[in-house]
Amino acid sequence: MSTKKRCRCSIVPPHLLDALRRHPDPKVRKIAEATLFLTHAARVKRGILAQGARPPLPTGTLRRTIYDGAQGPHIRGNILRSEGQPLADDRAANDAYDASGDTYEFYRSVFGRVSVDGKGLRLDSTVHYREDPEEPFDNAMWDGEEMLYGDGDGLIFGSFTKSLEVIGHELTHGVTQYTANLAYHDQPGALNESMSDVFGTMVKQWKLNQKVDQADWLIGSDLFLQKGLALRSMKNPGEAYKDVPDLGSDPQPADMDGYVQLPNTRAGDNGGVHINSGIPNRAFYLTCMNLGATHSWEMPGQIWYAALTSRLTANSTFVDAANGTISAARDVAGEGAASAVRAAWQEVRVLK
Ligand SMILES: [Zn+2]
């Protein structure tokens, strides 16, 4: 079976887990090691899925179901909360329920898109998930069909349900899967990652009604137990964390001069998909600035959404993304907008 078809798209990048494998606390080292390898392990546990456990779904309806992973590799185990039910006695379940609902409502009201597939796909989440029952799971992921959330190690990371942009990021991997279906390696893979950051941060800004100049443009700051850290900065790639003991420094480049060539392997982050994504991330941020946009989800978001859903394809490169968003800008808002988008891609040196 092709491994290209579907990514197991997780939020914590390999380079960060790799740094944690050298952490002085052996507990952190062990968890990072387990998460790094298990996150990428072949999916052999599909058999755990209960046969016929899913009732038929009316399309176009929000249908969230939050299951209990019970600190093991159990997908769709006991239901903690389903659509319309009152608060569960489980914080992670309620957080996953709320954030998947916010993401659904964002896509529906801003882009007229009904769920990740555009046809009302039910939103299933498993919280308290572990791939190895012996080790906490330092990650959240979209596995091609549903969301899986770990509780974190309790030392570096807390629960992975705490961050709205992370949940928006992961569900956007689903949207990409059903639209451009960007391959998960090298430049298409970095675009895949960037689209998830772009729409993930938009979900958060939309929910908080933040203007582009009020937003922090950080991804995953709520995941860290220590304040002042984030996985990535879309405004300043490479500045999300600097010289932090045991974590090192954010390796993201801010423009093509810093583009990192890595092999398309697990150790190489599939060609640096979580590293080079900083370049198109910043192009989106700069587009918001160049357009003088008030809110990211208005004109800038409409342009990026049009590019993702109707202009990009599986093997699109950064230049294709530049041309696709420029052409989308022309269609959405005319030549002035197209020039603003072009200038952003020039600032990150994707275009000359
Ligand atoms: Zn991702």
Side-chain angles (χ1 to χ4, degrees):
M1 187 192 268
S2 164
T3 51
K4 194 175 146 193
K5 203 170 158 203
R6 209 174 249 180
C7 65
R8 299 194 73 205
C9 304
S10 51
I11 193 71
V12 178
H15 60 79
L16 217 147
L17 291 169
D18 201 46
L20 292 177
R21 286 164 77 196
R22 295 185 290 276
H23 194 276
D25 186 328
K27 190 175 165 215
V28 174
R29 285 205 299 272
K30 207 157 163 247
I31 294 162
E33 183 92 6
T35 304
L36 183 61
F37 285 99
L38 291 169
T39 295
H40 295 269
R43 189 64 179 278
V44 293
K45 302 186 195 76
R46 276 271 151 214
I48 291 168
L49 284 173
Q51 292 285 325
R54 299 171 139 196
L57 173 70
T59 53
T61 310
L62 176 59
R63 179 69 72 89
R64 291 164 286 182
T65 311
I66 316 297
Y67 298 91
D68 188 0
Q71 308 300 348
H74 313 294
I75 296 168
R76 300 187 208 123
N78 289 333
I79 294 176
L80 293 170
R81 190 175 178 191
S82 55
E83 192 60 48
Q85 285 189 337
L87 282 173
D89 188 21
D90 185 306
R91 165 119 193 244
N94 293 327
D95 287 347
Y97 183 91
D98 288 346
S100 53
D102 289 338
T103 304
Y104 178 99
E105 186 54 24
F106 163 79
Y107 273 105
R108 195 198 61 75
S109 66
V110 176
F111 302 116
R113 182 179 192 84
V114 182
S115 194
V116 299
D117 64 345
K119 295 178 183 165
L121 184 79
R122 57 184 301 146
L123 299 177
D124 289 343
S125 309
T126 292
V127 297
H128 311 304
Y129 177 79
R130 291 183 179 192
E131 298 212 329
D132 176 354
E134 301 295 312
E135 299 294 343
F137 190 58
D138 263 345
N139 233 328
M141 71 169 81
W142 166 258
D143 78 346
E145 292 184 14
E146 67 232 310
M147 300 287 310
L148 308 173
Y149 300 99
D151 286 336
D153 54 53
L155 295 165
I156 307 286
F157 292 110
S159 170
F160 281 78
T161 55
K162 283 198 297 194
S163 168
L164 178 56
E165 76 270 19
V166 165
I167 292 175
H169 173 111
E170 294 302 333
L171 286 167
T172 298
H173 278 308
V175 175
T176 297
Q177 180 183 318
Y178 283 98
T179 55
N181 199 20
L182 289 154
Y184 203 66
H185 63 87
D186 301 295
Q187 288 198 13
L191 287 172
N192 190 322
E193 271 305 311
S194 175
M195 286 295 174
S196 277
D197 280 352
V198 163
F199 288 93
T201 209
M202 259 190 255
V203 173
K204 180 181 176 182
Q205 292 177 22
W206 171 82
K207 177 69 182 174
L208 299 176
N209 197 26
Q210 280 182 333
K211 295 178 178 164
V212 292
D213 54 2
Q214 295 171 324
D216 63 14
W217 295 91
L218 296 173
I219 303 295
S221 54
D222 298 334
L223 299 179
F224 289 89
L225 295 172
Q226 185 186 328
K227 290 261 172 278
L229 299 176
L231 295 173
R232 293 181 283 281
S233 167
M234 300 180 68
K235 181 178 177 178
N236 296 304
E239 310 275 331
Y241 52 96
K242 257 209 149 68
D243 300 323
V244 177
D246 313 316
L247 289 183
S249 297
D250 173 7
Q252 283 210 315
D255 61 38
M256 283 304 280
D257 290 354
Y259 186 89
V260 179
Q261 292 286 355
L262 285 169
N264 177 17
T265 59
R266 188 180 70 192
D269 186 27
N270 301 107
V273 297
H274 292 92
I275 297 175
N276 294 315
S277 58
I279 299 167
N281 275 357
R282 184 162 164 256
F284 179 75
Y285 168 78
L286 291 170
T287 291
C288 292
M289 297 299 121
N290 293 351
L291 285 169
T294 306
H295 296 118
S296 59
W297 63 89
E298 291 168 349
M299 196 192 297
Q302 298 297 330
I303 291 168
W304 250 247
Y305 184 76
L308 175 65
T309 54
S310 64
R311 285 171 174 79
L312 301 185
T313 58
N315 295 311
S316 291
T317 62
F318 286 5
V319 169
D320 295 330
N323 290 330
T325 50
I326 291 166
S327 133
R330 191 174 289 118
D331 287 358
V332 168
E335 205 51 53
S339 299
V341 177
R342 178 178 291 108
W345 289 104
Q346 287 168 333
E347 282 178 73
V348 299
R349 299 180 181 270
V350 167
L351 296 182
K352 298 216 184 307

